[in-house]
Amino acid sequence: MKLRALQSFSGAIGSFYNGQVFEIRDLNFAKMLISSGYAVEVESCPSCGSTIDK
């Protein structure tokens, strides 16, 4: 699942800055980040645009 950080944070999976797009394989952890307001899923983010540069 691709996520975009909504704020800078660091944790067991690394450090991320606001706006950074990253991929996470642990769906439970990804859902926790989303529900906690740390990140949003890129594919469902209307303000991120329709294409993702890889």
Side-chain angles (χ1 to χ4, degrees):
M1 175 180 286
K2 284 193 187 228
L3 302 179
R4 181 172 55 86
L6 295 176
Q7 56 186 296
S8 299
F9 65 94
S10 60
I13 60 168
S15 297
F16 303 94
Y17 58 85
N18 184 11
Q20 179 177 356
V21 175
F22 59 98
E23 191 160 353
I24 186 166
R25 293 175 187 254
D26 184 337
L27 294 181
N28 289 327
F29 191 69
K31 289 177 183 175
M32 187 273 299
L33 289 174
I34 292 168
S35 66
S36 298
Y38 284 107
V40 292
E41 188 175 353
V42 172
E43 286 82 356
S44 63
C45 176
S47 63
C48 298
S50 57
T51 59
I52 303 168
D53 293 329
K54 293 185 179 180

